Amino acid sequence: MSDSLIPNNLVSTRQRIDDACAQVERDTHTVLLLAVSKTRPASDLRIAYEQGQRAFGENYLQEALDKKEELSDLDIQWHFIGPIQSNKTRAISENFDWVHSVDRLKIARRLSEQRPSALPPLNLCLQINLDNEDSKSGISLEELPELAQQVQELPGVTLRGLMAIPAKRENPEEQQQVFAKLCDALDALRRQTNNTSLDTLSMGMSGDMEAAIAAGATIVRIGTDIFGARNHG
Ligand SMILES: *Cc1c(COP(=O)(O)O)cnc(C)c1O
């Protein structure tokens, strides 16, 4: 473990966030670093935790549950960020604090109904497919107002904001413009609904976090820059 790169990687990732915030005069505390730990062993999460990292993002339910059990002595905030099948909603609702990848009312309803009453409402983001790519999950911006209206009525969940994974742009300014669309959509939604819980923009990964932060990201989801390149997944 002593030769792990994770502690240094975390320091440099946090520095990148600080620099990106300074560049656009944002308070660095307004950006949460979500460590995306899919395909990584529980021991890697433990190393990151020992460096102060608390929020972890997982894409695959069974893998996440195994790690959660192994790390049950730690006070981790668990975020589900992968595609959701309806037969998995109960376990997701019982085991996570946040879900970023909701794109259907049916899924939101099940997460709400299945949320244990002893837990606070589950924090949800709606996933937006900004490029309208067929290959990606997420709703279009046109579908957003109606779905948001329905989801915010559900008692077991709190609608917190929007998530997107836009296609890579070569030009950083173009990348920022795409992220800005998500920010505009959240602003519009806040005005339409007067919902003060809408405070979250989950956008930006290892390759594009500066553009996302410049456009208002409040959660950046970083895997590779913390844990190294993945072989798969
Ligand atoms: C894997 C993944 C990330 C992290 O991507 P990196 O490029 O490794 O930082 C972020 N968000 C989602 C939804 C992911 O699946």
Side-chain angles (χ1 to χ4, degrees):
M1 299 292 171
S2 58
D3 61 350
S4 172
L5 296 173
I6 294 169
N8 280 333
N9 288 349
L10 263 176
V11 170
S12 57
T13 301
R14 291 194 191 114
Q15 187 63 50
R16 252 180 96 187
I17 293 173
D18 288 351
D19 292 347
C21 284
Q23 201 74 43
V24 293
E25 298 182 348
R26 287 187 59 190
D27 177 350
T28 189
H29 297 105
T30 61
V31 180
L32 175 77
L33 171 56
L34 180 64
V36 175
S37 43
K38 61 177 172 223
T39 80
R40 310 295 172 175
S43 55
D44 280 7
L45 283 75
R46 190 176 289 278
I47 293 170
Y49 186 93
E50 283 162 2
Q51 305 302 316
Q53 182 62 34
R54 290 293 176 270
F56 290 86
E58 290 282 341
N59 296 58
Y60 310 108
L61 177 63
Q62 192 51 53
E63 182 193 324
L65 295 180
D66 291 345
K67 287 181 217 175
K68 196 175 177 223
E69 196 175 318
E70 207 170 320
L71 301 171
S72 60
D73 57 316
L74 306 185
D75 183 24
I76 288 179
Q77 188 183 69
W78 293 99
H79 294 238
F80 192 83
I81 63 174
I84 306 169
Q85 295 160 275
S86 52
N87 62 344
K88 303 283 171 64
T89 52
R90 181 176 299 281
I92 291 172
S93 197
E94 288 175 353
N95 284 285
F96 285 81
D97 303 294
W98 281 77
V99 179
H100 294 227
S101 42
V102 173
D103 63 359
R104 278 179 289 157
L105 181 60
K106 179 185 170 191
I107 296 292
R109 272 206 186 111
R110 291 175 65 98
L111 291 170
S112 173
E113 283 162 10
Q114 294 166 342
R115 183 70 170 170
S117 55
L119 296 179
L122 182 62
N123 296 295
L124 293 194
C125 291
L126 298 178
Q127 183 171 350
I128 309 294
N129 186 347
L130 284 173
D131 302 304
N132 294 319
E133 292 172 290
D134 292 340
S135 59
K136 276 197 193 146
S137 333
I139 57 166
S140 67
L141 286 174
E142 290 70 40
E143 295 168 293
L144 172 60
E146 187 182 355
L147 182 60
Q149 198 67 51
Q150 293 166 322
V151 170
Q152 69 175 9
E153 303 298 326
L154 301 172
V157 300
T158 302
L159 182 60
R160 296 294 299 270
L162 307 177
M163 182 273 236
I165 316 171
K168 176 111 193 87
R169 307 298 201 276
E170 287 311 319
N171 176 330
E173 272 143 51
E174 266 177 56
Q175 192 79 54
Q176 190 176 324
Q177 284 164 12
V178 182
F179 286 130
K181 280 202 234 171
L182 200 70
C183 187
D184 292 345
L186 184 69
D187 284 344
L189 200 58
R190 221 187 268 128
R191 281 196 304 274
Q192 287 156 16
T193 60
N194 284 319
N195 181 346
T196 52
S197 304
L198 290 170
D199 58 5
T200 301
L201 282 171
S202 168
M203 58 186 194
M205 318 201 322
S206 295
D208 56 17
M209 75 158 102
E210 282 81 5
I213 288 172
T218 65
I219 301 182
V220 289
R221 307 180 311 268
I222 308 299
T224 307
D225 274 16
I226 297 173
F227 297 108
R230 286 178 298 275
N231 298 321
H232 59 91

